[in-house]
Amino acid sequence: MTPLNSLDPANAKPQHKSYKLPDGHGMYLFVTTTSRQYSRMDYRFAGKRKTLSLGVYPDISLAKARKLTLKTKEDLADGIDPSFKKQVEKAFNQFNSANTFKVIAANGLLAT
């Protein structure tokens, strides 16, 4: 499989169903029926298949999405679930900006 080049997203046309343009290492460009394009990555953690959103193309370039994929692979090798890490980082950023207990509780990141 050859990696995507800069012309592939530009030539991706909407179809009746959403489809994937594979890039490698689990990363792909997801093209919707409305022509929106999302960089995503499929991976397995704790025996479950998961999908991580890397960003919207062209806001996140293919090169940046590949770098994020490699970082995610490193996290997986270290036993870290990338989806959970992303949720924690998002809640932390919201907490720093809002500085409220409600933000942490609303994101379900409290131990019960």
Side-chain angles (χ1 to χ4, degrees):
M1 170 176 49
T2 60
L4 296 171
N5 62 45
S6 59
L7 294 178
D8 291 333
N11 292 332
K13 304 293 181 212
Q15 297 179 2
H16 295 290
K17 291 176 67 176
S18 298
Y19 62 97
K20 300 176 183 180
L21 294 173
D23 186 69
H25 300 287
M27 189 190 113
Y28 57 91
L29 200 64
F30 185 75
V31 182
T32 66
T33 56
T34 59
S35 194
R36 297 275 310 209
Q37 299 175 2
Y38 302 91
S39 294
R40 292 185 177 176
M41 178 188 166
D42 286 342
Y43 66 96
R44 293 189 77 74
F45 187 82
K48 294 183 180 179
R49 181 192 169 282
K50 296 187 171 195
T51 300
L52 181 68
S53 176
L54 302 172
V56 179
Y57 181 86
D59 298 338
I60 300 293
S61 68
L62 290 175
K64 172 104 177 174
R66 288 182 186 117
K67 288 179 185 177
L68 291 171
T69 298
L70 293 177
K71 285 182 186 177
T72 301
K73 291 283 188 179
E74 290 173 4
D75 287 343
L76 287 169
D78 292 338
I80 300 170
D81 181 1
S83 292
F84 184 71
K85 179 181 176 182
K86 189 174 180 180
Q87 289 173 354
V88 169
E89 288 172 352
K90 181 179 177 183
F92 182 75
N93 290 336
Q94 287 177 344
F95 178 76
N96 280 342
S97 63
N99 200 20
T100 65
F101 180 79
K102 184 179 179 181
V103 172
I104 299 295
N107 284 301
L109 299 175
L110 293 176
T112 54

